[in-house]
Amino acid sequence: MRPNTNSRLNLKGLWLEDFQKLLADWKEKPFRARQLASWIYGKRVSDFSQMTDASKSFREKLAKDAYVSDLKIVKTETSQDKSIKFLFELEDKETIESVFIFDKNRNTICISSQVGCPLACAFCATGYMGYKRNLTAGEIVDQIIQIKNKIPKNENINNIVFMGMGEPFLNYDNVLKALKIMTSDFGLGLSPKRITVSTAGVTDKIYQLARDLPKVKLAISLHSPEEELRKKLMPITKKFPLKPLLEAGKLYAKSSKQRITFEYVLIKGVNDTEEIALKLAKLIQGIPCKINLILYNPIADADFDRPSMERVNRFREILYPRAPAVTLRISKGVDIQAACGQLKTKTYRKSSGYKTNLIALSSVNKP
Ligand code: SF4
């Protein structure tokens, strides 16, 4: 049974300073802040009666005035490659998707930061949903908690990537709080080096993250070395042009003392030519980075295709060793529309009226 949330405070998403303030208001001891954090995030407990080291009177107070929300799993789909896509319902009935990406050596959870996305990248299903709202810090971390609760106990979580629905840097404060919860010993206890925040290019927030939490990994979705083509594929480029974006990426690599990743979705005849590969190699010179090539994953909304493997290999050969490191990501979960760029909650397909900023696809340089 989901709790009657009327007038009670949801504790999932609060962090140490929030708990401390709440406990001060309740005239409770400050040490209980860490206790609460550790029960809710570390031990993944939502039922106050299980918080055995809290006094009976404190547990009764919690049950009366607070609750711990859980995302509701509406649906799961399992891919042939064992990856699992989760459809979660939020308290206001909005829905989001997250993916457990199975790999025998390295499991990853791909999480969402917004309901939909306002950035309307031309190749991305989420972009066609439009934007509904930001997720709270609790809703962000709860994707990990619920997936951990659901998958077999012997499966480890090795990586978390913010590559699901939404642009994390447009929800900066909640994403930062979620990162603190994830990386604290009183929280999920994850190493920051195993968490990647991926941005379409919100340059000012790259600088902010470099100040706030530079140990997490940064990925920048690049997808073209040409400003004009990038504007068509990723309209955000009109506000945040390439040159300052790359300078921010360079600074982040320096602050975090680790390579940044440039994500590059290869789209047939659009951004996969030899000439563009050479331009890309030149553009990223001097930036400690890895280029992660991703084969375009088809979506119903966009009239794009995947390049042939011959063309992909040629692109890769031109890039490496001109670029310091180049990898080719084979997307998992394609058969269940859980791969990169394919997330879109079905409920939105039926509804309409969300504001989007779509470009005319016909204006993209197609063959
Ligand atoms: S690729 Fe990322 S930033 Fe672009 S529309 Fe999709 S979710 Fe938003």
Side-chain angles (χ1 to χ4, degrees):
M1 273 276 285
R2 305 188 97 194
N4 173 3
T5 56
N6 288 346
S7 77
R8 287 193 288 162
L9 176 69
N10 183 7
L11 300 187
K12 196 170 274 174
L14 301 194
W15 190 229
L16 292 176
E17 52 275 21
D18 309 312
F19 285 130
Q20 278 154 3
K21 187 171 176 312
L22 179 71
L23 291 162
D25 290 347
W26 285 359
K27 306 203 180 347
E28 289 285 345
K29 303 246 174 4
F31 76 88
R32 296 208 185 282
R34 288 185 175 189
Q35 245 179 4
L36 279 172
S38 157
W39 276 109
I40 294 169
Y41 305 114
K43 301 189 185 88
R44 312 199 293 273
V45 163
S46 307
D47 179 350
F48 298 125
S49 69
Q50 291 178 25
M51 300 182 179
T52 46
D53 57 0
S55 66
K56 187 162 175 273
S57 60
F58 183 52
R59 279 184 273 146
E60 283 170 358
K61 168 81 179 154
L62 286 168
K64 184 165 125 339
D65 293 335
Y67 70 101
V68 180
S69 67
D70 287 320
L71 295 182
K72 184 175 162 192
I73 299 176
V74 180
K75 190 177 171 188
T76 59
E77 287 178 83
T78 304
S79 162
Q80 287 167 358
D81 62 35
K82 294 196 196 168
S83 296
I84 308 170
K85 182 167 75 171
F86 290 80
L87 177 68
F88 289 114
E89 185 184 276
L90 314 176
E91 284 191 294
D92 60 1
K93 307 289 181 205
E94 298 295 345
T95 49
I96 52 164
E97 288 183 331
S98 324
V99 186
F100 170 71
I101 303 164
F102 175 82
D103 190 300
K104 62 179 186 301
N105 303 317
R106 214 175 57 139
N107 294 326
T108 299
I109 297 180
C110 175
I111 57 173
S112 295
S113 55
Q114 297 181 309
V115 182
C117 182
L119 294 190
C121 298
F123 48 82
C124 171
T126 310
Y128 286 84
M129 279 176 59
Y131 166 74
K132 188 65 181 177
R133 69 168 173 85
N134 283 334
L135 296 184
T136 65
E139 289 165 339
I140 294 170
V141 294
D142 207 20
Q143 296 167 63
I144 303 167
I145 291 173
Q146 298 308 324
I147 291 175
K148 273 181 118 171
N149 288 343
K150 189 81 180 166
I151 59 173
K153 294 223 171 344
N154 59 343
E155 293 293 355
N156 290 325
I157 304 297
N158 306 91
N159 292 305
I160 305 291
V161 294
F162 280 80
M163 295 183 188
M165 297 164 64
E167 161 56 53
F169 284 163
L170 293 185
N171 185 14
Y172 187 84
D173 291 347
N174 289 336
V175 165
L176 181 64
K177 189 186 273 192
L179 287 169
K180 287 179 182 169
I181 296 172
M182 288 179 202
T183 54
S184 164
D185 289 344
F186 303 105
L188 302 189
L190 296 164
S191 163
K193 293 194 171 162
R194 298 203 172 269
I195 301 173
T196 303
V197 179
S198 177
T199 179
V202 183
T203 307
D204 52 340
K205 298 298 180 198
I206 294 177
Y207 287 106
Q208 204 170 333
L209 189 66
R211 288 192 297 271
D212 290 338
L213 206 64
K215 285 186 180 154
V216 300
K217 287 187 168 172
L218 177 74
I220 296 175
S221 296
L222 200 56
H223 308 321
S224 172
E226 296 175 343
E227 189 91 320
E228 287 312 306
L229 175 56
R230 198 168 186 274
K231 276 182 196 165
K232 290 172 182 170
L233 292 171
M234 308 178 73
I236 189 180
T237 310
K238 291 173 196 157
K239 185 165 178 201
F240 296 107
L242 261 177
K243 196 163 173 274
L245 172 62
L246 295 174
E247 278 164 12
K250 194 171 179 180
L251 177 278
Y252 195 89
K254 197 172 165 204
S255 308
S256 65
K257 299 188 179 59
Q258 53 190 344
R259 280 177 177 165
I260 61 164
T261 300
F262 289 115
E263 305 285 349
Y264 195 99
V265 172
L266 281 162
I267 307 172
K268 184 179 174 185
V270 175
N271 64 355
D272 66 340
T273 64
E274 295 185 10
E275 187 197 350
I276 288 182
L278 283 167
K279 276 190 191 169
L280 176 59
K282 195 167 166 208
L283 189 76
I284 53 91
Q285 285 307 306
I287 304 176
C289 69
K290 174 179 93 173
I291 298 179
N292 193 13
L293 300 174
I294 305 159
L295 296 185
Y296 170 69
N297 292 307
I299 57 169
D301 303 282
D303 188 20
F304 289 141
D305 291 316
R306 256 182 192 207
S308 64
M309 277 316 290
E310 192 188 352
R311 214 164 155 109
V312 170
N313 286 331
R314 183 69 195 127
F315 198 90
R316 184 162 56 161
E317 282 161 15
I318 293 171
L319 274 185
Y320 188 79
R322 290 179 174 93
V326 181
T327 53
L328 175 64
R329 190 202 302 166
I330 305 298
S331 290
K332 302 264 185 154
V334 179
D335 55 326
I336 54 168
Q337 278 76 53
C340 184
Q342 291 187 314
L343 297 187
K344 178 173 184 173
T345 54
K346 301 234 172 8
T347 40
Y348 283 90
R349 253 180 214 165
K350 290 177 196 150
S351 55
S352 60
Y354 293 109
K355 266 181 102 179
T356 61
N357 184 23
L358 296 177
I359 57 164
L361 287 182
S362 56
S363 66
V364 175
N365 175 28
K366 298 197 72 193

